[in-house]
Amino acid sequence: FVKTTPLLLALLGFAGAAAGGGSAETDSRRPTDDATWLREQGRLVFHDAFDREETGNLAKAIGNGWNSATAERVPHLKMADLDQGILKIASASAEARHSAHIHHEAGFTDGGVIVRFRFPGRSANESLQLGFVDRRTKGIHAGHLCYARLSPGGLTLMDWKTGVMDLEIRRRRQACLARKEKLPADLDALLKSRQISVPWKTDTEWHELALVTEGDEMRLSMDGKLLARHRSPGFAHPTKRWFSFLVPNTVWIDDVK
């Protein structure tokens, strides 16, 4: 791994994991710091230092394989700016009627991402959602699998595959919301079991975040400290095809591995 830039995001899979499913067996000898574990045991899938200029505002303007599910909704507005080696995302959420969605091919079962990121303090309630997508899988809205969300009120790990984005669960939930009714007890309990939230306070400092899926467990560490872990069936999805950022306002990101 190159460690010469101020912002680092590592996208890795583990050898032999991309083709098959099943849980990874935790090695008691591996580092407790997931960022170190990924660097030492991971197989590098992708690298981008963002040392170029973007080519316009459309879906592939960032270049090097990045794409956007939202850029062409508002082609006259720039939501991603490459500035001195930093990807600066400023979502036109109101105009696009969706948060900025930026993704890259990944393709692994067990592995993760390391992100050194910063909230620049240019928007109120800055937040960041990052995780994995597989649009080839049927029965899931837009292929949303699992995510971590960082917001001023804390951070949340979410299994969307078997939770809110499962098409049948989504249909039931939206019907209740449309009628302004409470969710049935069984649906409410299921959805609560698919995520976990912990306190976390945002700031404008640089942080290194490691987000890992290993079997049916997702873990999030910040600056070498484990902050949240959760087990849920959707985390074990056999192929995380895309790594994805979902940004409702502003965040800065740089070197990607």
Side-chain angles (χ1 to χ4, degrees):
F1 286 80
V2 179
K3 301 181 181 178
T4 57
T5 56
L7 188 64
L8 175 69
L9 181 155
L11 185 58
L12 306 102
F14 291 98
S23 298
E25 186 173 328
T26 302
D27 184 349
S28 61
R29 296 169 299 176
R30 70 171 171 80
T32 55
D33 173 13
D34 277 325
T36 301
W37 178 50
L38 287 171
R39 290 187 178 108
E40 293 182 353
Q41 304 297 325
R43 173 175 55 83
L44 185 65
V45 174
F46 171 70
H47 174 246
D48 192 346
F50 295 113
D51 53 354
R52 60 187 179 279
E53 293 295 323
E54 73 281 353
T55 56
N57 299 347
L58 298 183
K60 298 183 179 181
I62 297 172
N64 201 16
W66 289 96
N67 211 323
S68 171
T70 52
E72 295 187 13
R73 295 186 179 200
V74 284
H76 59 294
L77 297 176
K78 184 181 293 294
M79 291 194 282
D81 181 26
L82 297 178
D83 181 15
Q84 298 183 346
I86 296 176
L87 172 60
K88 297 181 176 180
I89 303 172
S91 179
S93 298
E95 296 85 349
R97 297 185 180 181
H98 198 287
S99 298
H101 186 281
I102 297 170
H103 61 267
H104 199 284
E105 294 289 332
F108 60 80
T109 299
D110 292 323
V113 59
I114 302 171
V115 185
R116 188 166 168 86
F117 72 98
R118 180 187 175 196
F119 292 122
R122 298 190 175 186
S123 304
N125 300 316
E126 289 175 325
S127 64
L128 170 64
Q129 185 167 307
L130 65 166
F132 305 104
V133 176
D134 182 5
R135 289 199 170 177
R136 296 186 191 177
T137 298
K138 305 297 183 183
I140 313 169
H141 178 69
H144 293 297
L145 297 175
C146 50
Y147 291 94
R149 180 188 295 135
L150 289 78
S151 59
L155 61 88
T156 304
L157 303 182
M158 303 172 289
D159 169 6
W160 280 7
K161 178 186 176 181
T162 66
V164 293
M165 292 300 169
D166 174 279
L167 291 183
E168 177 58 22
I169 293 172
R170 188 170 186 266
R171 182 193 65 78
R172 291 182 63 196
R173 178 174 178 270
Q174 288 189 323
C176 292
L177 295 177
R179 296 190 299 264
K180 298 182 180 180
E181 297 176 353
K182 289 181 62 177
L183 297 181
D186 67 314
L187 181 57
D188 186 55
L190 185 147
L191 292 176
K192 287 178 178 176
S193 75
R194 296 303 190 250
Q195 67 180 49
I196 188 172
S197 297
V198 300
W200 184 72
K201 185 177 180 181
T202 58
D203 56 37
T204 57
E205 302 298 320
W206 292 105
H207 296 283
E208 183 180 80
L209 176 155
L211 180 67
V212 164
T213 62
E214 186 181 10
D216 66 353
E217 183 175 64
M218 176 177 272
R219 299 187 297 273
L220 186 145
S221 300
M222 191 90 67
D223 301 324
K225 180 180 179 181
L226 179 65
L227 297 184
R229 67 194 308 165
H230 189 52
R231 290 190 181 275
S232 191
F235 298 149
H237 184 78
T239 307
K240 283 80 173 178
R241 296 189 190 278
W242 290 358
F243 167 68
S244 173
F245 288 117
L246 195 66
V247 182
N249 33 51
T250 45
V251 71
W252 289 2
I253 301 162
D254 195 357
D255 192 78
V256 179
K257 292 182 181 178

